[in-house]
Each structure stands twice: as C-alpha cells, then as structure tokens.
Amino acid sequence: MSLAQQYRLATKYIRYYFTSGNRHDVHSPFVFSLIEDVLLDKTRHAAFGEIEQLRKQLLASTETLQVTDLGAGSLISSGNERKVSDITRYAAKQPKFGQLFYRLVQYLQPKQLLELGTSMGLSTAYMAKAAPDARVYTIEGCPNIAARARKNFDTLQLDNITQVTGNFDTVLPDVLRQIQRPDWVYIDGNHRKEPTLAYFEQCLQYVHEYSLLIFDDIHWTPDMEAAWHTIQEHPQVTMTIDLFFIGLVFFRKDFKVKQHFTLKY
C-alpha cells in the first residue's frame, strides 16, 4: 500500500471515528443487544491466550514460504517468497477482530461457517474455538500457506476445520454446494470490487434468513467501498453494520425497513 493510500485510509478512519454511533444512537433492539453483548464485552476467554501465544510465535518466526498470490496482491511486498512473520503481521486480522468473531459466533451460534482467505488461520481458529461443535470451512489460494495454517490448527488441537485449497473462483461453487445453508460467511481475500461482488452473488444463492456475511477491508480502496455500497443496496439485504475494517450483512425478515448502521468499534 502506497503512502498516499495509507493517508487516504487514515483520513477515512478519523472521519469514521468521530462520526460513528454507539448504543445510545440505535433504536433497533437487535443492534442494541449486539452492541451490549458482543461489541462491548471485554471477557478474556482462555482461547484468546492460546491463539495470541501462537501469533507471537509466528511473528518471531524466521520461516519463509513460497507464495502464490491469487488476490489483489500483498500489502507489503511483491515477489514469491515471504516471511511467515510478515504474512502474520500484515495479512492476519488484528486480535480485537478475531476476538470479535469469537464473541459473535458464541452469540449467534452458527453451525456451518465459511471463510474465504485462511492466511495463517488465526481468524479461523477464533471461529473454530468459539463453536467446537460447528464445522468451519476455510479456503486458501496458496498451497504453502494452507499447509502452514494446518500446522497452526494442529498446534491449537482444532479438529472442526475443513481446509480447501484453490482459487476462490474455482472452488467456491463446490464448497457452497457442499455446505448448502451457510450460517456465516467471512470474505477476506481478493480485495477488489468485481470478485467481491461475484462471491457475494454466489453466496446469496445459499444463505438463509439468519445467515451473516462479513466483508473484510470495506474501506481499503474506493473500489472496495463501491462494492460495499452495492451490497448494502441489494434487495435481499435487510441490515448492515459498518465497523470500518469489516462490514456485517444481515438478511433477517423481522427487520421491516432496510437499515444501515455505522458503529464505533
């Protein structure tokens, strides 16, 4: 990411920080409860320590991987060889968002979860730890990164994760057919408008009223913001929540009027 892009993103974040709402600004009981019970929950679960200890080990690693980049490109380097520490530092989601996923999974109780973009598997681990009886499917385009993530899952003794390796465009339709009714889809890969909207449209064929779709880096570029606005306006979408770095998309029919919230997190 260039300095100009970083400056634009920082400017957007400052604007978001000073204009986003909190629990006193919402009149939806569902959103109020989500804020109280999920966004504001500061409970430190044992799983957090396990996963963050692994993160520390990955950040200190001297290991390198030959990487096949099928998405919008690395934020930090070109070339095919990348350090595990750099992948962890720049591609893995911050702890606060992994822990948000953990609380959201416990709150919503999804049984079939799908993630597009495994990376080192830290977000995957948070989801899998939150619901040991659920099944988490995760797709990664690079075989070497997928193999390294598998080692991380083994370290954390996670056995409820199904890994799929391949280009999202190729493997996503088959995975969705296998899952049939995903309760949760986290889209974190190929951060460009057209692919993001294509994955969204494919998921729409399988989601149900109580499914949750999560989109990563919705303000990363103008292209991704355009994709996010298109998603918000889709007739099947009944509510969205903008947390700046991620966006939550709901389809619940008990939301009688389409609503969009921008909340501080």
Side-chain angles (χ1 to χ4, degrees), residues 130-191:
D133 295 329
R135 173 57 50 179
V136 180
Y137 296 81
T138 184
I139 304 174
E140 172 56 47
C142 173
N144 291 335
I145 289 180
R148 189 62 182 82
R150 170 47 60 190
K151 291 182 181 179
N152 295 334
F153 300 149
D154 291 343
T155 296
L156 295 169
Q157 299 181 310
L158 291 167
D159 58 7
N160 59 335
I161 297 172
T162 297
Q163 286 186 273
V164 179
T165 305
N167 190 313
F168 298 165
D169 298 343
T170 304
V171 303
L172 178 58
D174 289 337
V175 175
L176 285 169
R177 279 193 291 270
Q178 182 180 352
I179 298 173
Q180 281 297 311
R181 283 173 56 83
D183 303 306
W184 169 296
V185 183
Y186 173 40
I187 298 177
D188 177 21
N190 203 339
H191 294 62

Side-chain angles (χ1 to χ4, degrees), residues 23 25-35 239 255 259 261:
R23 64 186 184 278
D25 301 310
V26 301
H27 302 289
S28 162
F30 176 84
V31 178
F32 184 87
S33 178
L34 200 69
I35 294 171
M239 187 179 77
F255 302 147
Q259 298 178 86
F261 296 93

Side-chain angles (χ1 to χ4, degrees), residues 2-237:
S2 69
L3 285 175
Q5 288 174 309
Q6 292 180 45
Y7 176 78
R8 282 197 296 270
L9 190 62
T11 302
K12 290 175 189 174
Y13 181 78
I14 291 169
R15 187 183 308 120
Y16 154 82
Y17 184 83
F18 286 106
T19 59
S20 53
N22 55 40
R23 64 186 184 278
H24 303 298
D25 301 310
V26 301
H27 302 289
S28 162
F30 176 84
V31 178
F32 184 87
S33 178
L34 200 69
I35 294 171
E36 286 286 306
D37 299 332
V38 180
L39 297 186
L40 296 179
D41 183 5
K42 303 300 182 185
T43 305
R44 298 292 303 178
H45 298 271
F48 296 2
E50 296 175 46
I51 297 170
E52 291 313 312
Q53 180 58 38
L54 175 60
R55 188 192 301 267
K56 287 181 182 178
Q57 294 170 9
L58 295 172
L59 288 169
S61 172
T62 59
E63 182 182 357
T64 61
L65 299 174
Q66 291 295 317
V67 172
T68 305
D69 195 339
L70 299 176
S74 169
L75 297 180
I76 47 96
S77 69
S78 55
N80 294 328
E81 188 173 46
R82 296 186 198 154
K83 297 177 181 178
V84 165
S85 58
D86 283 343
I87 297 171
T88 304
R89 182 171 291 108
Y90 296 105
K93 214 67 188 145
Q94 297 173 22
K96 69 178 285 186
F97 287 100
Q99 291 161 19
L100 171 62
F101 292 167
Y102 183 98
R103 295 193 299 270
L104 262 175
V105 169
Q106 290 207 322
Y107 185 75
L108 297 173
Q109 293 291 303
K111 298 301 180 187
Q112 301 264 53
L113 295 86
L114 172 61
E115 175 185 50
L116 277 68
T118 313
S119 189
M120 289 290 102
L122 297 176
S123 294
T124 329
Y126 273 112
M127 292 184 274
K129 283 280 188 182
D133 295 329
R135 173 57 50 179
V136 180
Y137 296 81
T138 184
I139 304 174
E140 172 56 47
C142 173
N144 291 335
I145 289 180
R148 189 62 182 82
R150 170 47 60 190
K151 291 182 181 179
N152 295 334
F153 300 149
D154 291 343
T155 296
L156 295 169
Q157 299 181 310
L158 291 167
D159 58 7
N160 59 335
I161 297 172
T162 297
Q163 286 186 273
V164 179
T165 305
N167 190 313
F168 298 165
D169 298 343
T170 304
V171 303
L172 178 58
D174 289 337
V175 175
L176 285 169
R177 279 193 291 270
Q178 182 180 352
I179 298 173
Q180 281 297 311
R181 283 173 56 83
D183 303 306
W184 169 296
V185 183
Y186 173 40
I187 298 177
D188 177 21
N190 203 339
H191 294 62
R192 293 177 291 198
K193 178 182 178 181
E194 295 308 322
T196 297
L197 292 177
Y199 306 146
F200 171 64
E201 291 288 348
Q202 289 177 66
C203 291
L204 283 182
Q205 300 173 47
Y206 295 91
V207 297
H208 55 84
E209 179 180 354
Y210 298 103
S211 296
L212 168 64
L213 265 58
I214 304 175
F215 290 86
D216 191 55
D217 285 336
I218 56 175
H219 294 288
W220 185 40
T221 61
D223 202 44
M224 281 300 293
E225 288 188 325
W228 174 242
H229 292 317
T230 299
I231 290 164
Q232 287 182 304
E233 295 308 313
H234 194 280
Q236 277 184 246
V237 172

